[in-house]
Amino acid sequence: MVLEVIILAAGKGSRMQSTLPKVLHALAGVPLLQHVINTAKKLNPRAIHVVVGHGADAVRTAFLEESVLFHEQADQLGTGHAVMQAIPHCQSNSVVLVLYGDVPLIQTKTLSALCEAATQSPAMLSTLLEKPDGYGRVVRDAQGCFHAVVEDKDATQDQRHIKEVNTGILAAPVNLLTTLLKQVTNTNQQREYYLPDILGLARAGGLSVSIHTTSDIIEVAGVNDRLQLEALERAAQQRYAEALMRQGVAISDRRRIDIRGELICGEGVSVDVNTVFEGRVVLGDDVKIGAHCVLKDTEIAAGSVIEPFCHIESAVIGQNCQVGPYARLRMGTRLDPTSKVGNFVETKNTKVGEGSKANHLAYLGDADIGAGANIGAGTITCNYDGANKHPTRLGDRVFVGSNSTLVAPVVIEDDGFVGAGSVITDNVPRGELAIGRARQHNISGWQPPKKN
Ligand code: UD1
Ligand code: CA
């Protein structure tokens, strides 16, 4: 079967009250439309067509990297009219599947079944809602077979009691769809060309229309306003959390985790409450993430522990490291195995060598630190001279005493030792002790000032 997927995304989404086109709003860190495109791709279609209208340029720009075809619907004359914009670009004898840019959590499995049922005649996806208000209702005949979809605004009082609703998602052979779309008129309450009318027309023409019903209302839920977006966000997060838990990840509370991108976990991983994962985060075996962390585009190798309240971005953390609590690892941080970065330590573009420690209160920027080094509390790399950034290099087993200022560019060779409170402006040769501070004088017989 040759499949063509048409994704409708031309609507304005006025209820979002946003300057951003609706389908660009993020769900789980990814634009709504991206979710639909990702799902569509799994069906191996010949092409993915996206019908754009409102905010068309912004939508195109956001998906430049995707190999999808955009078709512009200048005026939004209805869902049937929207599909017509893409039809001429579909291969004949294909099956067309219609999806929506604002229905992000539709599942591949449901769609494959729908498409397989649509090689000869249309197939539609329905669901049952306790409150069906606003939706098109599925009207069945005396035998329980599909008869038609009636829009809420066009429905009779009796039809409004029907709880089976049209999800909007349907599949049909392209040639049939083309013929039927030409017969659709806009003589209805909304003066729109309704896509679901093709189903009623098919039935009236003696074809059967198969109805697939899903009980999973999340997968067919649309986003119209920010409340629905937030509700779907929680539902999506719960799904991700449950999938990870089934894989063996110990998540303390599935309601208090946010994965805005991709989280890949090894075995024995645990994640305490309220952590936000952004971009692509990879956690090795037995990694422990404490409460209240933000982790973005980061890899953490086996056995490492991230204590609570850490902020980590674009970092690579080796095995059995210990980070935090309250550490901030910025872009380009690399922690070699068994190293330790403790509370109120900030690192940027810095390598901390194997087994080295910066346990408290330090800024390490543009630094290359060897193995077995000890960075005392209050150590600052002065990497910026007001115009340019400069590197600091510390060899193996270097000891930097507390409250030292390392004025870059500067090198402290292996086994170098810096006395506490030093300002280091010159390189320290291997094994030497550097003391860069005024000597202490004790003044005997000194009298404190007296009040007048
Ligand atoms: C549609 C269905 C309804 C179904 C409901 C499920 C029609 C006529 N009705 O109603 O049976 O119960 O979905 O949510 O299809 N769009 C365009 N171009 C247009 C019109 C719409 O791209 O000219 C897009 C919108 O961006 C939106 C989607 O199609 O994403 C649905 O359009 P909308 O007008 O909101 O349809 P509903 O009234 O929700
Ligand atoms: Ca509408």
Side-chain angles (χ1 to χ4, degrees), residues 15 134 153 190 192:
R15 278 183 282 162
K153 291 195 171 94
Q190 303 187 79
E192 285 182 10

Side-chain angles (χ1 to χ4, degrees), residues 135-420:
Y135 289 88
R137 309 297 204 284
V138 178
V139 181
R140 294 181 183 245
D141 64 18
Q143 283 73 48
C145 296
F146 180 88
H147 177 69
V149 169
V150 180
E151 290 306 307
D152 187 74
K153 291 195 171 94
D154 303 302
T156 63
Q157 274 311 324
D158 279 354
Q159 288 169 333
R160 288 214 171 100
H161 289 121
I162 299 173
K163 289 183 172 168
E164 185 176 14
V165 303
N166 173 31
T167 64
I169 293 169
L170 59 79
V174 69
N175 301 343
L176 177 66
L177 185 59
T178 310
T179 311
L180 294 172
L181 277 171
K182 284 180 189 148
Q183 297 168 34
V184 171
T185 67
N186 67 348
T187 50
N188 51 51
Q189 285 296 324
Q190 303 187 79
R191 299 255 150 247
E192 285 182 10
Y193 295 89
Y194 293 162
L195 174 66
D197 279 3
I198 65 112
L199 301 169
L201 288 166
R203 187 71 197 106
L207 288 167
S208 69
V209 171
S210 63
I211 306 177
H212 289 233
T213 306
T214 174
S215 55
D216 178 2
I217 54 174
I218 296 301
E219 75 163 327
V220 292
V223 173
N224 292 301
D225 58 29
R226 292 181 186 276
L227 282 88
Q228 289 173 340
L229 181 60
E230 184 264 0
L232 266 202
E233 175 75 28
R234 289 331 310 158
Q237 292 303 338
Q238 192 148 331
R239 279 188 182 191
Y240 293 163
E242 285 168 5
L244 287 165
M245 287 190 276
R246 282 193 199 95
Q247 256 177 57
V249 179
I251 291 175
S252 302
D253 184 348
R254 74 186 83 174
R255 287 162 297 270
R256 286 187 287 164
I257 182 168
D258 287 85
I259 301 164
R260 300 174 188 161
E262 197 184 0
L263 175 60
I264 299 157
C265 294
E267 285 179 11
V269 167
S270 70
V271 180
D272 206 340
V273 298
N274 290 340
T275 285
V276 178
F277 296 91
E278 293 182 66
R280 187 171 188 274
V281 175
V282 183
L283 307 180
D285 293 350
D286 301 311
V287 164
K288 287 186 171 43
I289 308 294
H292 308 284
C293 293
V294 176
L295 308 184
K296 183 173 181 184
D297 295 321
T298 285
E299 283 178 37
I300 303 176
S304 286
V305 176
I306 312 298
E307 301 285 0
F309 297 102
C310 289
H311 190 284
I312 303 179
E313 178 171 353
S314 302
V316 177
I317 298 173
Q319 293 191 6
N320 301 312
C321 290
Q322 202 180 325
V323 177
Y326 298 101
R328 179 171 182 214
L329 310 189
R330 291 165 56 199
M331 174 94 65
T333 294
R334 193 184 108 196
L335 305 189
D336 281 355
T338 67
S339 59
K340 197 177 162 201
V341 171
N343 44 273
F344 307 107
V345 174
E346 174 181 345
T347 62
K348 186 219 71 179
N349 188 30
T350 282
K351 187 206 90 176
V352 179
E354 188 161 350
S356 291
K357 294 184 176 103
N359 278 340
H360 356 248
L361 299 159
Y363 172 61
L364 304 170
D366 302 308
D368 183 338
I369 301 166
N374 198 309
I375 312 296
T379 297
I380 303 289
T381 53
C382 303
N383 59 330
Y384 186 52
D385 61 12
N388 297 300
K389 299 281 170 71
H390 302 283
T392 299
R393 194 158 59 75
L394 309 186
D396 294 343
R397 298 170 301 279
V398 160
F399 183 97
V400 180
S402 296
N403 214 35
S404 293
T405 302
L406 311 179
V407 183
V410 72
V411 177
I412 302 174
E413 292 181 7
D414 291 352
D415 301 296
F417 206 100
V418 172

